[in-house]
Amino acid sequence: MAHKSSAVADEPIDVLFALHPKFNLMDFAGPLEVLTTALHEANDPSSRAFEVTIASGESTVLSDQGVTIQSQITWKEAHERLSEFDVLIVVGGNVNDAILKAKAEPMPLITAYSEIQKADPTRERTLLSICTGSIFLAELGILSGLSATTHPDYMTQFENLCSHSAVRDLTERTDVIEDARYVVNNLRFDIGDEDENPYVRRKSDAGRRPSNARKGSMSFKGATRRESIARRAAMRLGGLRVITSGGVTAGLDAALYLVSVMVSEESANEVARVMQWTWTKGVVVDGLDV
């Protein structure tokens, strides 16, 4: 596969879903529906914006709801191909002490993905956790110095794990946000002064000034100014965009946000219309994102 610095319109955005045993089916199915519905061109069904690959330990993996999903690659193959993927999605369900203490998959995959970004900050990558999938990130210390959320019923466990990781690793604490549908960190692009930049997002990505550019990599492709790779490399996790969502259906909102920044706001709104879903927007930490 050719090296690419970001996903662009003539290349599908490659997404890897990591499914552990007894995962929550809606955490997977909701974002999957959003991403596979998204198009670069509204009237062109062949312009699918995302290419999805499913990884698990076996050829099939059983959800907590009793539905079996067929995986396409094993954990071993996922590690071998990890640098190919623009987005890694970690779902919740069955996030138990046995997995956390053993640091079983998908935890090594999450760590490897963040290490790839730190080693190669020239490429745009996103780590998205759905619901209690963020507990894996908390235990690994991925959320150090970032803002994050999870399912409300697991908020105390989540806060404790984030604090424990900060003490263990002697790193910054996590700013845990309790009332957000999703939280976005490490916004990417530097294209001018903040006061002049139409892409500055603050506590909500609703109501920002309009722009003629498409979002995410599309804007990157057409922009006359480029972000500083050195500046990205200096960011936490090499500029890895880290998104955590709240419980279950909040994963739909987070996935719609991902469509809006990697394809276009128009595409995200069209997906929401087709799915008859009201997109509730979340928290985007102060920064630049196009």
Side-chain angles (χ1 to χ4, degrees):
M1 179 177 179
H3 178 82
K4 56 182 178 179
S5 61
S6 56
V8 294
D10 54 355
E11 295 180 0
I13 299 162
D14 292 307
V15 178
L16 179 64
F17 275 92
L19 302 185
H20 57 282
K22 305 301 286 289
F23 68 95
N24 182 280
L25 183 63
M26 185 63 181
D27 289 0
F28 164 65
L32 178 69
E33 178 74 11
V34 169
L35 299 181
T36 55
T37 302
L39 301 174
H40 282 298
E41 303 297 335
N43 297 320
D44 182 3
S46 68
S47 67
R48 278 196 171 190
F50 296 88
E51 184 74 30
V52 171
T53 302
I54 300 168
S56 70
E58 304 292 339
S59 59
T60 59
V61 57
L62 182 68
S63 72
D64 194 38
Q65 289 70 33
V67 175
T68 298
I69 299 296
Q70 184 171 352
S71 64
Q72 293 153 296
I73 59 174
T74 64
W75 295 130
K76 181 176 182 295
E77 291 170 309
H79 278 275
E80 291 171 350
R81 292 181 50 193
L82 198 52
S83 62
E84 298 177 15
F85 295 99
D86 304 296
V87 182
L88 173 62
I89 299 181
V90 180
V91 300
N94 192 36
V95 182
N96 57 45
D97 288 343
I99 294 177
L100 295 175
K101 289 179 180 177
K103 288 188 166 46
E105 295 289 3
M107 294 176 74
L109 196 70
I110 296 167
T111 299
Y113 194 67
S114 66
E115 291 298 323
I116 286 173
Q117 181 63 33
K118 286 188 280 188
D120 177 23
T122 62
R123 179 165 169 183
E124 177 181 353
R125 296 184 180 87
T126 300
L127 173 61
L128 167 60
S129 70
I130 309 297
C131 193
T132 54
S134 57
I135 289 176
F136 293 132
L137 277 60
E139 171 63 24
L140 291 168
I142 296 290
L143 301 175
S144 169
L146 303 180
S147 299
T149 194
T150 192
H151 191 293
D153 290 353
Y154 293 83
M155 198 63 69
T156 299
Q157 179 188 6
F158 182 63
E159 290 180 319
N160 289 340
L161 282 173
C162 287
S163 296
H164 171 75
S165 295
V167 172
R168 178 196 65 206
D169 302 335
L170 300 177
T171 54
E172 295 179 66
R173 292 183 177 274
T174 303
D175 178 16
V176 176
I177 301 177
E178 297 188 9
D179 58 351
R181 294 292 283 175
Y182 56 83
V183 178
V184 183
N185 297 271
N186 277 8
L187 304 184
R188 313 294 308 248
F189 291 85
D190 176 18
I191 59 170
D193 294 335
E194 203 170 293
D195 290 341
E196 301 173 352
N197 195 314
Y199 309 111
V200 173
R201 299 191 179 193
R202 303 190 188 282
K203 288 301 181 183
S204 171
D205 58 331
R208 62 177 174 166
R209 286 173 286 172
S211 122
N212 293 324
R214 299 184 74 181
K215 309 305 180 287
S217 305
M218 299 304 301
S219 291
F220 179 84
K221 184 182 180 185
T224 56
R225 286 178 286 178
R226 295 291 187 259
E227 68 170 326
S228 166
I229 297 302
R231 183 170 176 179
R232 184 197 289 185
M235 296 173 74
R236 290 182 181 86
L237 305 173
L240 179 69
R241 181 192 283 118
V242 179
I243 306 174
T244 54
S245 87
V248 194
T249 61
L252 290 164
D253 294 323
L256 285 166
Y257 170 83
L258 197 61
V259 173
S260 78
V261 296
M262 300 194 79
V263 185
S264 71
E265 196 91 13
E266 294 76 18
S267 180
N269 287 330
E270 176 62 10
V271 171
R273 186 196 68 79
V274 170
M275 294 179 64
Q276 293 193 298
W277 180 257
T278 301
W279 178 14
T280 303
K281 297 187 179 182
V283 172
V284 182
V285 177
D286 287 0
L288 305 177
D289 198 2
V290 295

